[in-house]
Every structure is written in structure tokens, then in C-alpha cells.
Amino acid sequence: MRPRLIDVAEAAGVSMKTVSNVVNGSEHVREATRLRVLAAIDKLGYRPNIAARNLAQGRSGVIAFAVPQLDRPYFASLAARMLDEAETFGWIVQFHQTGGRREAELGLLTDRHPARLDGIIMSPLSLSPEDVQRRDPALPLVLLGEKAGEGHRADHVGIDNREAGRVATEHLLAMGRRRVMALVPGPGVADGRTNGYRDALVAAGIGVDEDIVLPAGGVRGEDAELTLGRWLDAGNPAPDAIFAGTDWLAMGAIRALMLRGLKVPQQVAVVGFDDIPYDLATLPTLTTVAPDRVAIARLSLQALRDQQPGQDPVRLRAPFTLVVRESTAGIGPGH
């Protein structure tokens, strides 16, 4: 016989309401209780009847998750976490790739969909606050990413990019590096990260040399390799450290440095941002800021679930960590 909710409750020694709260991802459950319920669910092989639950709640059971590019490692990894977490909320995820184009992002908010959506989670690049304001107020929306952090009347989930940029730069300064370059994707992209870099330099009494804040014109490795390569080939002295606005930029910077005989991290220490899966495959492995993607996914889904028409937008912060690897710590013995 298929295990029922009451069977899980009896096995875990809790009420059916507590089991329901755990299954629905409610925050109002003690961690020890949640783990006990999850253990009972796993032991019994319980699977909620998602279709019946959605019907009872007047939901379609489908949400949209929209990002600029699904083949970018950060978004691909976040999409995987979103799938994992959405299952516990009883949602099926419909993926959309917008290319960062306003018409594609706006179309998601205004066009008819083949099936009714319970909500949209989007990382936009081009939506204006007015675009967001004009959407159907009954359509739950959660925005991700730095570009959507201010001015948009919608729930937002993200990390503190400015604080993360400061922490990354302070790590380089703590190593004794003083000529710290910033490689930034472009105007309006990763501004918070770059401002955090500036904060750290000012606090250290060094000041910001804007001549070594280099716009790479994009987020790809080749953008950084070309930008930094041209700068070095023009006879400019190499920095002793680089803070890159994305891991791709950091990897491109390392390639440009090594092609010119500069050693990482002995001569130039490098820190990236995003903790993409390829960071462990580079030589040296890449020190980076790692956003908690599980927390971003979970907070986004909770905000989508709890959203009510007309409510004031909420701003939710996910944690991040600085992961120190060989591009700043050096390659240890035996490598």
C-alpha cells in the first residue's frame, strides 16, 4: 500500500500538520523536527500526491524560471538547484532563456502562456521598473541578480554583492598585495561587486586607481584575456592582484598573465566570483566568492509561494562564502 501522510506522522512522532509543513517547505519547523520527518519520508518511500494538492490549492503546479543564458555555468548550476528545491514545494519548473533581451523578458510577464503559471522567477538584464510595474498584479514574480536589486516593485533574492566584493578584495590586501586591479564585465553589470572592491581599498588607506579598473566588455574568458592582454602589451606594469567580476573573467585573466610569463599567484594573485564548477579544473584552481545557490533557490521559491497581490516587495539575502584555492594560496607540496 502506498504510504500516506498519517503514516509519516506516526513514524516521526509528529502531527500530520507538521509533516505537511515540512513537505511544503515551511520555515516554521524546527530543524531537528524537519530532519526527523524527512528521515521518515525517506524510510517509508512517501511521495505526496502533487496533482491533488495543487488542485485543492487552486494551483497549476508549474512555475517559470528565466535566465539570460542556460549554458552559462552559474545559471546552469542555479537551475539544477532550483529543480531540486522546487520538487519539495510540489512545483514543476518550466525553463526560459531570454538572452537578456527586454522583449523576451517582458514577454514572459505579459504574454499568454500555454498553461497557467503559479509564478515566475527571473534573472533579468533589461527589464525596467516600469515594465515590472505593468505586469498582471495577480502573477507572482521574484527577481534575482544585481541588475534587479533596486527600483523594481517585486520581491528580490540575492547576495550582498557589495559586501562580497569587499571581502574578496580584503583577502588580496591581507596577502600584502597593494596594486589590485578590478576586471569588470561592463557598465551596469556587477557594479555592487566593484563598489565593494573600492570600499576595501579606501578602508585600507590605499585609495582607488581608476586606471586599473578595467571594463572587459563582457563576462566571457576571452573578454578578459583580450582586455588584460592589450593593457599589458601596451607597457603598463602588471598588477600584483586581480579581482574579477566573474569566474570566466578570472580564468581569462590567468591565461593572459601566463601567456606573458607571469606566475599566478606568486606574482599576481587572482580572485573570481560565482564559484562555477570549472574552478576546480583550472591550473591553478580558482579562489572565488561562492553564492549559496541552494539558499537562493529556496528563498526564491518561498517568496513565490508566500506572495500576495498588493503586498510590499521583500528583499531577501542569501549567504556567500569566500572559497580560497590555489590562485591566491599557491599550489601545495606534491602538486
Side-chain angles (χ1 to χ4, degrees), residues 258-278:
M258 289 188 163
L259 286 174
R260 288 159 181 80
L262 293 165
K263 296 180 180 179
V264 177
Q266 293 91 332
Q267 292 171 276
V268 187
V270 179
V271 175
F273 206 110
D274 285 336
D275 194 30
I276 63 176
Y278 304 119

Side-chain angles (χ1 to χ4, degrees), residues 112-169:
R112 291 180 176 272
H113 297 276
R116 185 171 63 85
L117 294 174
D118 288 338
I120 297 173
I121 299 173
M122 180 189 296
S123 181
L125 292 182
S126 303
L127 277 183
S128 69
E130 292 73 26
D131 292 334
V132 173
Q133 187 72 18
R134 286 197 296 267
R135 80 182 194 279
D136 180 355
L139 177 66
L141 174 67
V142 175
L143 299 179
L144 308 178
E146 191 173 351
K147 287 284 285 184
E150 299 293 337
H152 292 78
R153 188 163 180 78
D155 290 356
H156 178 265
V157 176
I159 69 168
D160 187 336
N161 279 279
R162 186 165 189 156
E163 176 67 7
R166 183 187 66 78
V167 167
T169 307

Side-chain angles (χ1 to χ4, degrees), residues 63-114:
I63 64 169
F65 178 55
V67 298
Q69 289 177 258
L70 277 166
D71 61 354
R72 276 173 49 184
Y74 174 79
F75 289 125
S77 180
L78 180 58
R81 305 292 80 74
M82 196 69 70
L83 274 176
D84 291 341
E85 295 299 312
E87 185 176 355
T88 68
F89 285 78
W91 271 321
I92 295 170
V93 183
Q94 183 186 100
F95 291 101
H96 294 263
Q97 181 171 268
T98 66
R101 294 175 292 109
R102 178 176 176 269
E103 58 271 26
E105 295 174 349
L106 187 58
L108 269 174
L109 300 186
T110 57
D111 288 354
R112 291 180 176 272
H113 297 276

